Amino acid sequence: MITLQGVNKWYGDFHVLRDIDLTVTKGERIVICGPSGSGKSTLIRCINRLEEHQKGDILVRNTPLTNDVKHIEIIRREVGMVFQHFNLFPHLTVLENCTLAQIWVRKTPKKEAEAMAMKLLTRVKIQDQAKKYPGQLSGGQQQRVAIARSLCMNPEIMLFDEPTSALDPEMIKEVLDVMVELAEEGMTMLCVTHEMGFARTVADRVIFMDEGQIIEENDPETFFHHPESERTKLFLSQIL
Ligand code: ADP
Ligand code: MG
């Protein structure tokens, strides 16, 4: 589904991603963790071209990410993204947030788009909030709307960037539950998260990044109980 080969990225002089190699197969669930500033967000933002890489290859379902707008459009279609700060449109209702891209990007008729939105809002158990504005919802509810909004575009791959780290503790579970369900339904997922319980239960692989590099990757059991690198051990000792 996703292949990165020798991917490098710089912000000006700052070398933020260093020789990243990563392959994600269909249905695989990958958790990425690592210290703040290690390049996790940059890495997943490169996968749907919210950031541009300068060296190496990124392929999403065999479409190479290049400057070709057609390729970028194809990839954006396949890849859904959920951000730490929800990024909902504040002036649109929950329902409108979920229908906007369907109507304008996919040219789906409004009625159909609304039916799809209600189906997915029901799936994240928030259908009764459809007429409200994001500001009237709790953080956990807003994040579930953001997930539903992404799913409305029928993505093949979902990218999550610390989806629970802006949430109050009591709301983390309601968002993780939705993510676990998605994982169980076979969605290909790449999640930046420090929720190690989530990593243990659903991840096929855990990747540890530091200073723009993949330092270590393993199945969760090995990763948590027998980390190889000193940097991974230090990181785990700080978060567990
Ligand atoms: P993480 O998500 O692991 O915390 P990021 O990918 O957000 O890390 O950032 C990695 C590094 O790149 C950090 O040092 C950050 O300050 C820097 N950085 C992130 N975005 C930009 C940007 N748009 N311009 C310049 N530097 C950036
Ligand atoms: Mg980040």
Side-chain angles (χ1 to χ4, degrees):
M1 295 296 261
I2 308 174
T3 310
L4 287 86
Q5 266 171 347
V7 170
N8 282 268
K9 173 171 178 61
W10 289 262
Y11 288 120
D13 291 339
F14 180 63
H15 197 176
V16 60
L17 295 178
R18 297 162 184 261
D19 297 320
I20 301 285
D21 294 319
L22 174 66
T23 306
V24 183
T25 58
K26 191 171 166 57
E28 229 184 345
R29 281 100 14 139
I30 313 271
V31 162
I32 303 176
C33 62
S36 176
S38 56
K40 307 179 297 296
S41 295
T42 303
L43 174 65
I44 66 166
R45 290 168 66 87
C46 281
I47 295 173
N48 64 354
R49 201 60 164 196
L50 292 176
E51 296 287 352
E52 199 174 320
H53 64 287
Q54 282 93 31
K55 190 169 160 231
D57 298 312
I58 302 181
L59 284 97
V60 178
R61 298 183 88 207
N62 298 323
T63 305
L65 253 187
T66 60
N67 282 327
D68 190 332
V69 179
K70 275 208 191 77
H71 288 178
I72 297 175
E73 272 175 15
I74 292 172
I75 285 169
R76 294 252 172 94
R77 248 165 223 268
E78 313 272 345
V79 180
M81 173 124 184
V82 173
F83 303 87
Q84 180 176 5
H85 295 289
F86 330 134
N87 298 15
L88 296 172
F89 299 110
H91 59 295
L92 299 180
T93 65
V94 163
L95 185 66
E96 288 163 349
N97 263 280
C98 293
T99 56
L100 187 74
Q102 293 189 73
I103 293 169
W104 291 98
V105 180
R106 288 283 160 82
K107 315 290 179 206
T108 308
K110 189 165 176 229
K111 278 255 149 29
E112 220 174 283
E114 286 180 348
M116 178 69 141
M118 287 313 297
K119 187 177 120 190
L120 287 159
L121 288 168
T122 304
R123 183 158 153 200
V124 301
K125 304 187 178 66
I126 203 158
Q127 67 279 15
D128 49 339
Q129 311 289 327
K131 294 276 186 294
K132 289 195 181 164
Y133 288 87
Q136 299 172 298
L137 305 183
S138 74
Q141 289 175 322
Q142 289 187 57
Q143 194 57 298
R144 285 185 283 143
V145 172
I147 295 173
R149 178 178 64 174
S150 257
L151 295 175
C152 279
M153 300 297 276
N154 223 349
E156 292 284 334
I157 300 162
M158 285 288 287
L159 307 176
F160 291 87
D161 191 2
E162 302 206 39
T164 59
S165 51
L167 299 177
D168 291 333
E170 73 270 22
M171 290 168 194
I172 291 177
K173 186 174 178 297
E174 66 188 48
V175 170
L176 288 179
D177 285 349
V178 170
M179 292 171 64
V180 170
E181 257 183 56
L182 259 186
E184 284 168 353
E185 287 163 17
M187 177 65 79
T188 306
M189 294 165 75
L190 201 51
C191 313
V192 175
T193 180
H194 292 160
E195 290 297 329
M196 292 300 135
F198 175 79
R200 280 206 180 88
T201 34
V202 310
D204 298 299
R205 258 189 299 154
V206 183
I207 291 178
F208 175 69
M209 278 184 77
D210 196 12
E211 297 180 349
Q213 285 177 305
I214 293 180
I215 303 294
E216 183 161 348
E217 63 176 284
N218 238 319
D219 62 275
E221 166 69 20
T222 315
F223 183 84
F224 289 113
H225 297 290
H226 309 285
E228 285 157 19
S229 132
E230 288 308 314
R231 280 197 264 179
T232 314
K233 285 178 200 166
L234 178 65
F235 175 75
L236 289 175
S237 74
Q238 286 162 345
I239 63 156
L240 292 180

